[in-house]
Amino acid sequence: MDVSLRFRREMDKGLGRDTNPTAALKMLPTFVRSTPDGTEKGHFLALDLGGTHFRVLLVKVSCNGQQNVEMESQIYAIPEEIMRGTGSELFDHIADCLANFLDKLGIKEKKLPLGFCFSFPCQQTKLDEVNILVSWTKGFTASGVVGNDVVAMLRRAIQKRGDFDIDIVAVINDTVGTMMTCGYEDHHCEIGLIVGTGTNACYMEEVRNMELVDEDEGRMCVNMEWGAFGDDGALDDLRTVFDREIDAGSLNPGGQLFEKMISGFYMGELVRLILVNMAKEQMIFQGQVTPGLLTRGSFNTGHVSAIEDDRDNAGLLAAETLLRGLGLSPSTEDCVATQRVCQVVSTRSAHLCAASLVSVLRQIRDNKAAEKLRTTIGVDGSVYKNHPQFARKLHKMVRRLAPDCDVRFLSSGDGSGKGAAMVTAVAYRLAMQHAERQRILEPLRLGREQLLEVKRRLEEAMEQGLAKETHQQASLKMLPTYVRATPDGTEHGDFLALDLGGTNFRVLLVRVRSGKKRSVEMHNKIYSIPQETMQGTGEELFDHIVQCIADFLEYMGMKGAVLPLGFTFSFPCQQRQLDQGILLRWTKGFKATGCEGEDVVTLLKDAIRRKEKFDLDVVALVNDTVGTMMTCGYEDPLCEVGLIVGTGTNACYMEEVRNVELVEEDEGRMCVNMEWGAFGDGGELDELCAEFDRVVDESSNNPGKQRYEKMISGMYLGEIVRNVLLEFTAKGLLFCGKPTERLKTRGIFETKFLSQIESDRLALRQVRSILQHLGLTSSTCDDSILVKEVCGVVSRRAAQLCGAGLAAVVDKVRRNRGLEHLRITVGVDGTLYKLHPHFSGILRETVLDLAPGCEVSFLQSEDGSGKGAALITAVACRMRDAAKH
């Protein structure tokens, strides 16, 4: 347990950017991002170079219902003079052998993807590039390779021949190859382990924990190079005199200390040193020490395996034969003692190996925040495969140290060569899937030219909506609001405000104070509107509203007071003056009869008269967008645009009255309610609409209407995402190609999920919990990344389209005023703008880019609809009083 804790600390050091340079565990990124999922298919070449022989393989992977791998391979020798010659000679030789192999199979004219298993320490920056060979090992000393890019050298050698071409897709080491080979058979496999001549391990780590990689999404295989554990002294108290002696006599004193306690290359030598020591201490062989026993390498790991064979005294016989061969005359006790020494050495090796594996299991379990981890370890190497007891002891100790992990060990058949092909197959699958995903998402990505065109068309639609002749057929209604000024700070008095825009309705008392201590103090009460009232008669609806006002005045102790009132009425209205508005149509589920085509203010006044309890001076009828502009205008006199991006979207701005042809005046300015959600209803956005937009539009309550709103607002973004996810799933790019019933349900993917999923602070496992809520219980980490990507593309487009519209508005204000440069503030409200982590930033960026002559600030509105109605009333009263005087 103690070794396991030490190892975990070393892992953390290796993963950290600042601590990595001095860490013993280098935790190298391999850029292998996914294990096989069983859908890989195709023909792949593999090169396996890790010793004096290398192999070339052709691997055929097919998956028609059944996973299947066929392999043809050829082994080629590397002569010693080439191993120790120059790098270009070595790679020319490899290219020649590759050409020979392709010739034999008659596939020289095909350009096949190739995976290169290169089992030497390398610093890697991409999957298909080994930037730098760190050092040669295993007897290689070819000059001019260390410090150079191995892939580039192989590519050059192939190009020099010029008679065939291949596509080098992946470079890996043998440990990763082992994990990938086993991962093809068992999709739970996420750890690779080698215990043979040397030892190493790799595992799938969360990229967010890997500070050496400038990304934070998804997972990546880490090559731990764990043989170097202890090189910084972390194991000094556990290393024996025999370990120190082995290290001193090795080719690399002070390096790979963990490997020297575990791997097959040193196991026999450790046993020999212990036997020499025991003989010198007169414990065995009657104190006899022969030249054979003193010869380095006379005792190897194969001997250890044979001596530990516990079938019918086979081990003791093997011990006797070996010891006699070394010139000794062993007694039965000597043979038993020798067997015991072998057991102690191999058991320590298995247990140390188990301790470090448990650190890896704990790391993966913590990453997944799982109570119990179910995983598979792919294993290769002569010690693991050939030693009679090693595997059993390793498994037993892992299970004992990590009872909360359900671990399967899978022995790899032909790890490195087949593994290189599997990494290539996975990389190829990921590249093909990536290309297919980008093809599907392409229509949702907008370029600068397209956004400029949206801006131009919206400017045109604004002109059409303002002009008398074209107003009728214009998609933007550009409704005059009769709000003629924004607050100047001298407003003063008590005002009532009503806010009706949904199933709840608010009554507010707003106290506006001018002078040095300008302030707005608010009291409000929320009342609900029963469903039957929303859908009953107009009289019932307005009687209910008046009853609520009476209750509020009594609650505030103001019975009998006559106050000016502002009415926020967030439904489309045609206004002829500030205190009058003809309801064009109900929206948001309201269906009260006798209201459409009528003046809403008159309906309210009639209801007050029927009540005969109080009188009110209805001064202004406004919608919530105008309210937002006014609330922000009170804080910032430069605020002359209002924008709402929430469930729906709309904008308003201060236009020169001379341009508002529906109003018979020429002087001053007036706020125009654009009702811009309807932009596109005249076909202006048709070529920008993706298939997903059409599907969402057709299944909405108002097909063909509010096209711009359906590409921007919160009510529809989740639906667009859901349709993209369905398309991905149908193409097998997501959720293993299996959509759930819930994902097929309209409206299930709420826009708040977009805001949560795109939050930078949200780990992928939290994205998974949102997906699980949608019934996607078997979604993977890769699925979470894709869902996040889709949400990002859809919300980015929404913010850019909104930005293009806003750029058109501020540029129009600038041109109206004949200015080179305009400073202006936009007052904004709405849940999408306020809660989405990136929407506001992308919106700002787009406006800055498309309207360079405008310096635009954004001010978030606090309670635009309620406070805004009162402020419009206050401004109107100020102007009315000024006119009287």
Side-chain angles (χ1 to χ4, degrees):
M1 286 306 284
D2 181 41
V3 169
S4 191
L5 289 171
R6 295 185 204 187
F7 192 87
R8 185 82 184 267
R9 280 198 294 272
E10 291 297 319
M11 283 171 70
D12 290 342
K13 275 192 209 165
L15 289 169
R17 179 174 279 129
D18 300 336
T19 44
N20 177 278
T22 57
L25 292 182
K26 282 302 170 210
M27 306 296 278
L28 303 170
T30 65
F31 298 89
V32 170
R33 295 167 193 278
S34 177
T35 51
D37 70 354
T39 62
E40 291 74 19
K41 53 179 182 285
H43 290 191
F44 305 94
L45 287 168
L47 269 183
D48 182 8
L49 176 66
T52 50
H53 290 85
F54 79 97
R55 282 193 312 159
V56 185
L57 305 92
L58 174 67
V59 182
K60 299 175 186 173
V61 186
S62 56
C63 77
N64 31 5
Q66 290 253 268
Q67 298 179 20
N68 189 24
V69 180
E70 294 170 40
M71 297 199 292
E72 296 181 57
S73 69
Q74 173 96 30
I75 293 179
Y76 296 91
I78 303 181
E80 193 154 329
E81 63 273 16
I82 289 183
M83 282 170 68
R84 303 194 173 175
T86 67
S88 57
E89 287 168 353
L90 173 65
F91 285 99
D92 286 349
H93 176 66
I94 291 172
D96 294 345
C97 297
L98 193 49
N100 171 274
F101 181 74
L102 296 175
D103 258 343
K104 272 189 180 164
L105 294 179
I107 52 172
K108 216 172 187 180
E109 73 295 338
K110 289 186 181 170
K111 185 178 179 180
L112 291 174
L114 174 127
F116 188 9
C117 184
F118 187 73
S119 301
F120 300 91
C122 287
Q123 205 76 49
Q124 213 168 347
T125 57
K126 281 194 193 147
L127 184 59
D128 58 352
E129 292 171 25
V130 172
N131 270 9
I132 293 160
L133 171 66
V134 178
S135 60
W136 278 120
T137 55
K138 308 177 194 181
F140 279 73
T141 57
S143 61
V145 187
V146 172
N148 281 317
D149 180 352
V150 181
V151 174
M153 294 184 84
L154 178 59
R155 282 197 178 120
R156 273 200 298 276
I158 291 168
Q159 279 159 4
K160 199 156 68 179
R161 279 190 60 100
D163 58 345
F164 70 95
D165 195 11
I166 51 166
D167 181 12
I168 301 172
V169 173
V171 183
I172 59 159
N173 79 0
D174 50 355
T175 319
V176 181
T178 297
M179 179 185 80
M180 294 301 269
T181 302
C182 295
Y184 186 67
E185 288 171 45
D186 178 342
H187 301 167
H188 287 289
C189 182
E190 49 194 341
I191 302 173
L193 167 68
I194 288 191
V195 196
T197 316
T199 181
N200 192 14
C202 68
Y203 72 102
M204 294 302 287
E205 175 59 273
E206 297 288 327
V207 174
R208 69 170 186 275
N209 296 334
M210 300 168 63
E211 294 182 5
L212 297 179
V213 179
D214 287 324
E215 300 168 38
D216 53 8
E217 299 280 280
R219 302 165 88 211
M220 185 185 288
C221 178
V222 169
N223 166 20
M224 302 177 77
E225 289 293 344
W226 84 359
F229 175 42
D231 289 7
D232 57 357
L235 293 172
D236 282 1
D237 56 328
L238 297 176
R239 291 173 64 231
T240 64
V241 289
F242 309 114
D243 295 309
R244 292 174 205 282
E245 196 174 335
I246 275 208
D247 179 48
S250 69
L251 294 171
N252 57 343
Q256 300 293 97
L257 297 181
F258 190 56
E259 180 167 85
K260 286 169 185 166
M261 296 168 83
I262 287 181
S263 80
F265 194 77
Y266 304 98
M267 206 182 269
E269 191 55 12
L270 262 176
V271 171
R272 186 187 71 78
L273 291 174
I274 295 169
L275 293 177
V276 168
N277 180 281
M278 288 171 79
K280 285 180 177 171
E281 296 277 334
Q282 304 287 322
M283 292 177 180
I284 51 173
F285 312 140
Q286 292 147 341
Q288 184 190 10
V289 179
T290 63
L293 187 60
L294 290 171
T295 306
R296 265 188 69 186
S298 60
F299 213 110
N300 64 37
T301 304
H303 296 136
V304 175
S305 295
I307 291 168
E308 284 193 63
D309 187 345
D310 52 8
R311 291 169 306 176
D312 304 333
N313 287 336
L316 292 173
L317 283 171
E320 187 179 3
T321 310
L322 173 66
L323 295 170
R324 287 192 189 285
L326 297 177
L328 293 158
S329 315
S331 64
T332 309
E333 285 76 16
D334 291 338
C335 294
V336 170
T338 302
Q339 190 179 46
R340 184 79 196 107
V341 171
C342 290
Q343 286 166 348
V344 168
V345 169
S346 66
T347 302
R348 181 183 73 155
S349 167
H351 287 177
L352 283 172
C353 207
S356 32
L357 265 183
V358 166
S359 307
V360 177
L361 292 168
R362 290 249 186 280
Q363 177 82 353
I364 293 175
R365 196 198 63 182
D366 290 353
N367 285 344
K368 293 184 178 177
E371 287 286 305
K372 192 169 174 70
L373 176 69
R374 153 93 178 83
T375 192
T376 298
I377 301 174
V379 203
D380 204 351
S382 51
V383 173
Y384 182 85
K385 287 183 168 175
N386 303 336
H387 188 285
Q389 314 295 334
F390 185 91
R392 186 177 54 78
K393 288 176 178 168
L394 172 71
H395 302 172
K396 195 171 170 186
M397 186 51 77
V398 165
R399 289 181 181 127
R400 194 167 151 199
L401 295 179
D404 48 3
C405 297
D406 174 9
V407 184
R408 177 186 180 207
F409 288 84
L410 184 57
S411 182
S412 154
D414 185 41
S416 42
K418 183 173 165 186
M422 285 324 305
V423 173
T424 308
V426 169
Y428 212 66
R429 164 175 66 81
L430 292 177
M432 301 304 275
Q433 288 177 339
H434 178 72
E436 176 69 359
R437 280 199 310 275
Q438 297 320 311
R439 188 190 64 69
I440 293 170
L441 290 175
E442 196 48 45
L444 295 168
R445 296 186 202 272
L446 301 179
R448 188 167 189 272
E449 288 310 310
Q450 289 169 299
L451 292 170
L452 280 168
E453 184 59 21
V454 170
K455 178 190 172 195
R456 196 187 63 70
R457 290 184 188 185
L458 198 121
E459 283 167 348
E460 247 172 54
M462 285 168 76
E463 298 295 353
Q464 286 171 359
L466 288 169
K468 221 174 204 163
E469 276 181 34
T470 48
H471 175 82
Q472 267 317 104
Q473 63 270 30
S475 63
L476 291 185
K477 284 301 172 216
M478 307 297 283
L479 304 170
T481 64
Y482 297 86
V483 170
R484 298 167 192 275
T486 52
D488 68 358
T490 62
E491 292 76 19
H492 196 94
D494 289 0
F495 305 92
L496 271 181
L498 304 183
D499 177 12
L500 177 67
T503 48
N504 287 325
F505 151 72
R506 284 191 309 159
V507 187
L508 305 94
L509 170 67
V510 183
R511 296 195 155 122
V512 182
R513 299 288 172 261
S514 58
K516 276 187 181 161
K517 293 192 170 173
R518 281 190 355 161
S519 67
V520 177
E521 180 194 322
M522 297 201 293
H523 304 272
N524 74 62
K525 206 168 171 189
I526 295 176
Y527 299 90
S528 70
I529 300 178
Q531 189 80 15
E532 58 273 20
T533 308
M534 282 168 67
Q535 303 184 351
T537 67
E539 276 195 8
E540 287 166 357
L541 175 63
F542 282 92
D543 284 348
H544 177 71
I545 289 172
V546 169
Q547 180 53 49
C548 296
I549 299 172
D551 174 82
F552 179 75
L553 289 172
E554 201 165 310
Y555 166 73
M556 292 300 296
M558 297 175 65
K559 218 169 157 182
V562 178
L563 294 177
L565 175 130
F567 187 5
T568 298
F569 186 75
S570 302
F571 300 90
C573 283
Q574 183 82 54
Q575 278 182 276
R576 293 267 179 276
Q577 52 204 56
L578 182 60
D579 60 355
Q580 177 212 41
I582 308 295
L583 173 63
L584 297 176
R585 63 181 182 277
W586 280 120
T587 56
K588 308 179 195 179
F590 278 75
K591 289 200 176 71
T593 56
C595 298
E596 291 183 358
E598 297 295 326
D599 173 19
V600 183
V601 175
T602 305
L603 293 173
L604 179 66
K605 284 180 170 167
D606 290 348
I608 291 171
R609 240 175 262 123
R610 282 196 296 275
K611 184 83 178 153
E612 292 181 350
K613 283 275 180 72
F614 57 88
D615 200 13
L616 291 172
D617 173 15
V618 181
V619 174
L621 180 76
V622 294
N623 88 351
D624 50 356
T625 317
V626 185
T628 295
M629 179 184 81
M630 294 302 267
T631 304
C632 295
Y634 188 72
E635 306 287 323
D636 178 348
L638 289 176
C639 180
E640 297 187 82
V641 182
L643 169 67
I644 287 193
V645 200
T647 316
T649 182
N650 192 14
C652 67
Y653 70 103
M654 295 303 288
E655 178 57 273
E656 307 301 314
V657 173
R658 65 174 185 273
N659 296 335
V660 187
E661 292 185 9
L662 298 181
V663 176
E664 307 289 343
E665 298 170 37
D666 283 336
E667 289 303 307
R669 292 178 183 150
M670 183 181 289
C671 177
V672 168
N673 166 19
M674 297 174 69
E675 288 293 339
W676 85 356
F679 175 55
D681 293 4
E684 299 97 332
L685 294 168
D686 283 3
E687 61 263 46
L688 287 186
C689 278
E691 187 50 40
F692 308 111
D693 296 309
R694 291 187 192 93
V695 172
V696 168
D697 177 48
E698 281 159 19
S699 58
S700 69
N701 296 332
N702 53 348
K705 299 272 189 287
Q706 302 291 95
R707 296 305 297 268
Y708 188 53
E709 179 167 85
K710 283 171 187 167
M711 295 168 88
I712 291 179
S713 81
M715 190 159 174
Y716 303 99
L717 295 190
E719 219 13 45
I720 297 173
V721 168
R722 187 182 70 82
N723 279 287
V724 177
L725 298 184
L726 279 175
E727 175 75 358
F728 272 16
T729 311
K731 291 265 193 299
L733 303 170
L734 197 60
F735 309 137
C736 304
K738 299 184 187 85
T740 61
E741 281 312 309
R742 290 201 68 178
L743 189 61
K744 293 179 191 166
T745 311
R746 222 185 110 206
I748 188 79
F749 203 99
E750 297 167 50
T751 297
K752 68 173 184 192
F753 293 151
L754 265 83
S755 298
Q756 289 167 359
I757 286 170
E758 286 189 69
S759 162
D760 296 326
R761 295 190 304 279
L762 200 65
L764 287 170
R765 66 163 177 263
Q766 289 159 296
V767 176
R768 275 178 79 177
S769 71
I770 292 172
L771 295 177
Q772 281 164 348
H773 167 75
L774 296 173
L776 298 156
T777 45
S778 58
S779 68
T780 65
C781 170
D782 291 340
D783 289 338
S784 299
I785 296 170
L786 299 189
V787 170
K788 195 165 179 176
E789 182 184 14
V790 173
C791 291
V793 168
V794 170
S795 61
R796 181 176 189 80
R797 182 185 71 154
Q800 286 177 322
L801 283 170
C802 188
L806 202 53
V809 174
V810 294
D811 244 354
K812 174 142 182 34
V813 173
R814 181 182 64 79
R815 287 197 309 277
N816 283 346
R817 299 180 189 179
L819 297 170
E820 279 291 304
H821 184 82
L822 170 74
R823 276 182 68 213
I824 193 166
T825 298
V826 178
V828 204
D829 204 350
T831 46
L832 190 60
Y833 182 90
K834 287 181 169 176
L835 302 180
H836 190 283
H838 308 303
F839 191 96
S840 56
I842 297 166
L843 173 68
R844 278 196 197 96
E845 227 171 75
T846 310
V847 175
L848 183 71
D849 181 35
L850 303 183
C854 303
E855 185 186 323
V856 183
S857 305
F858 289 82
L859 185 57
Q860 269 199 49
S861 150
E862 298 309 323
D863 187 36
S865 43
K867 188 168 157 185
L871 284 166
I872 290 171
T873 309
V875 171
C877 291
R878 182 194 87 208
M879 293 175 81
R880 196 165 64 181
D881 294 348
K884 280 180 194 163
H885 297 114

